[in-house]
Amino acid sequence: MKVLFLNSSDTSGGAAIAAKRLMNALIDSGIDVNLLVLDKNSENKNVFSVKTSFVIQKLALLYFLWERFIIFIINRLSRKNLFKISIANVGFDVSGHKLVKEADIIHLHWINQGFLSLKSLKKIFALRKPIVWTMHDMWGFTGICHYAGNCSNYTKECGNCHFLKKPKINDKSAMLFHKKKKLFANAPLFVVTCSDWLCEVAKQSELLQNQLIMSIPNPIDIEQFKPCNQIEARQRLKLPHDKKLLLFGAANISDSRKGITLLINALQLLANNREKHDIELVVFGKTSELLVDKMPLPVHIFNYISNSEMIVDFYNAADVFVLPSLEDNLPNTVMEALSCGLPVVAFQIGGVPEMITHAINGYLASEINEKELAKGIEYIIDNENIQQFRINARNKVETTYQPRIIAKQYESLYNKILKK
């Protein structure tokens, strides 16, 4: 069995990390898997890029810029939602690629921002090879958005899109919705979502009414992400030994969807209400000085970190991981934290409640506000049973997200598809 993964990158973004972890899990299970990407940043021998020449590299940049430019124009020169939507108007035709031709199953992941267009997908579907699509967000079953928020238009047909400056019935979201509907109608498509939440949401979309949809979570390497000595981890990172450390991280911390404003407000409550000044914040990911200046507590900033050993140290050095996200699917950061035995405080959004059991391996805030978030942080860092929380966090990952468990589920799906 030969399986080919398609993803925009092999390292950048949550979907890239999840896809690569799944690829490694399947290879360890004896399945022949390769990953075809637009941007290759690793030395992995199973990863291949479509950028095979200088000309194609420049073309890829042009595709990326052209799609963003069209969105910029559609939104009347506003940058506000520039990366919250994708229109897939340009992309590479990979239908004739050697790896595509050799594959028994084509496995799509996150294919936006200039990698595959709707025309590219049409040509792949025309090959009549079985297509598995692991959806890491909502774009596959909405008109143009990656997360719909409170909008439910995608359940029938998009239009009047709140991500557009001038929404109307037949706007760009409606046009793309109907194009996708026609494209998916007779496609040999099997849809997988990373969470039960996304699975239920996908089933409501008019675009996927004729498709098989199932939920399989992402795996994580539990031998890499594992508990270690907290004091030693803090020493390596040069972090204080006598403070309660809160950890917050994301690929782009400034993204409003990540809830940074709520976190700042919650920290302000903690700074005002606690007699002891014993809390400090550790942040990793792309951030800005403006956000750092707003932090009411001492903060230790680490920008984008690619060193996996250092990332493991972050989780082990902290007392709690805080996820103030307003929208999310199955965050890799939560899984990584739990795998390292770190309790998590978060809101009850997306697939997060599938990972965190309230008052067992973390805290699920009952309402989306700073007061509840601050309450959850204090509940964990002052808890006398914190060690049991750590044990429960690790147990959750070992029983649910272990690579061999996830690989077995995908292998079963692949075999069923090929038999059909």
Side-chain angles (χ1 to χ4, degrees):
M1 180 193 309
K2 288 190 175 184
V3 180
L4 178 64
F5 282 15
L6 295 174
N7 196 77
S8 294
S9 170
D10 63 334
T11 59
S12 179
I17 294 170
K20 202 169 176 183
R21 287 173 179 170
L22 177 59
M23 179 184 73
N24 292 334
L26 290 170
I27 290 173
D28 289 343
S29 296
I31 297 178
D32 186 351
V33 185
N34 288 307
L35 171 59
L36 182 62
V37 299
L38 180 61
D39 297 310
K40 178 178 178 178
N41 299 300
S42 72
E43 299 298 323
N44 193 304
K45 65 179 182 180
N46 294 95
V47 179
F48 300 85
S49 173
V50 297
K51 293 181 180 178
T52 54
S53 69
F54 177 79
V55 173
I56 296 179
Q57 288 179 7
K58 295 303 178 184
L59 184 61
L61 177 60
L62 179 62
Y63 282 171
F64 170 78
L65 294 175
W66 182 248
E67 181 183 16
R68 295 307 114 188
F69 176 73
I70 296 299
I71 294 171
F72 187 57
I73 296 299
I74 291 172
N75 267 336
R76 305 295 197 275
L77 309 186
S78 171
R79 294 172 55 88
K80 182 179 178 182
N81 296 319
L82 194 57
F83 290 97
K84 293 182 179 180
I85 61 178
S86 293
I87 58 176
N89 59 326
V90 286
F92 288 88
D93 176 12
V94 299
S95 60
H97 195 283
K98 179 184 176 183
L99 291 174
V100 173
K101 289 182 177 180
E102 292 176 350
D104 299 304
I105 293 175
I106 306 296
H107 192 150
L108 304 174
H109 287 269
W110 202 86
I111 45 81
N112 298 109
Q113 295 189 359
F115 184 29
L116 300 182
S117 64
L118 292 184
K119 287 183 179 179
S120 305
L121 289 176
K122 184 177 181 179
K123 290 186 177 182
I124 293 173
F125 292 166
L127 298 174
R128 305 312 298 173
K129 290 176 180 280
I131 309 291
V132 174
W133 193 346
T134 295
M135 295 188 177
H136 298 269
D137 58 28
M138 297 175 66
W139 186 84
F141 54 86
T142 68
I144 58 177
C145 68
H146 291 277
Y147 284 95
N150 295 325
C151 176
S152 60
N153 290 353
Y154 65 89
T155 59
K156 294 183 179 179
E157 59 179 350
C158 285
N160 290 313
C161 180
H162 66 279
F163 288 109
L164 298 177
K165 195 77 171 179
K166 296 290 183 180
K168 52 186 179 180
I169 293 176
N170 61 339
D171 61 22
K172 194 68 173 180
S173 71
M175 293 170 59
L176 267 293
F177 189 91
H178 289 293
K179 281 188 177 182
K180 287 181 180 180
K181 187 173 183 179
K182 185 177 180 180
L183 177 63
F184 294 167
N186 298 306
L189 187 61
F190 302 85
V191 176
V192 177
T193 62
C194 303
S195 67
D196 294 339
W197 164 77
L198 193 62
C199 185
E200 293 306 310
V201 173
K203 288 178 180 178
Q204 296 172 23
S205 174
E206 179 66 23
L207 289 181
L208 300 181
Q209 290 305 302
N210 299 322
Q211 310 299 342
L212 171 68
I213 308 173
M214 63 186 299
S215 172
I216 303 176
N218 300 323
I220 186 169
D221 187 346
I222 62 173
E223 296 304 319
Q224 180 184 37
F225 290 88
K226 61 184 179 181
C228 69
N229 186 279
Q230 186 181 72
I231 295 176
E232 292 176 359
R234 291 188 180 192
Q235 286 176 339
R236 286 189 289 269
L237 296 171
K238 296 181 172 57
L239 292 172
H241 295 182
D242 58 344
K243 301 292 184 180
K244 300 286 187 181
L245 296 183
L246 316 182
L247 181 64
F248 170 62
N252 184 4
I253 292 165
S254 303
D255 185 347
S256 59
R257 190 169 55 87
K258 298 301 181 181
I260 184 65
T261 301
L262 282 172
L263 176 61
I264 293 172
N265 293 340
L267 295 180
Q268 186 65 63
L269 290 176
L270 292 174
N272 293 341
N273 297 338
R274 290 177 72 89
E275 293 182 6
K276 295 185 296 182
H277 298 286
D278 59 345
I279 300 177
E280 296 188 3
L281 180 67
V282 180
V283 176
F284 68 89
K286 182 183 177 183
T287 186
S288 68
E289 291 298 325
L290 184 62
L291 288 176
V292 174
D293 291 341
K294 291 182 179 180
M295 294 295 180
L297 296 173
V299 57
H300 306 270
I301 298 292
F302 297 83
N303 290 315
Y304 181 73
I305 305 296
S306 59
N307 185 308
S308 57
E309 293 180 359
M310 192 172 181
I311 292 173
V312 170
D313 274 342
F314 280 127
Y315 292 117
N316 279 284
D319 294 291
V320 62
F321 182 79
V322 185
L323 183 91
S325 294
L326 307 177
E327 294 177 296
D328 231 323
N329 181 17
L330 199 79
N332 287 324
T333 51
V334 172
M335 194 180 297
E336 290 165 359
L338 295 176
S339 191
C340 292
L342 182 64
V344 179
V345 174
F347 297 121
Q348 298 186 52
I349 52 96
V352 173
E354 298 165 38
M355 311 173 81
I356 303 170
T357 304
H358 182 64
I360 299 297
N361 63 353
Y363 185 99
L364 286 173
S366 58
E367 297 179 19
I368 300 178
N369 60 53
E370 56 265 30
K371 186 176 180 180
E372 270 295 309
L373 192 62
K375 180 181 175 181
I377 292 170
E378 284 200 298
Y379 177 84
I380 296 296
I381 63 175
D382 294 335
N383 202 297
E384 294 179 354
N385 296 320
I386 188 65
Q387 189 56 36
Q388 189 59 52
F389 274 82
R390 290 183 173 276
I391 293 170
N392 295 341
R394 176 67 179 182
N395 287 343
K396 173 66 177 181
V397 174
E398 289 181 343
T399 56
T400 310
Y401 307 121
Q402 211 175 138
R404 60 179 178 80
I405 295 175
I406 307 305
K408 190 173 182 179
Q409 293 180 62
Y410 269 106
E411 186 175 5
S412 176
L413 173 62
Y414 292 158
N415 285 327
K416 287 179 181 178
I417 291 172
L418 291 178
K419 284 180 180 178
K420 287 184 179 181

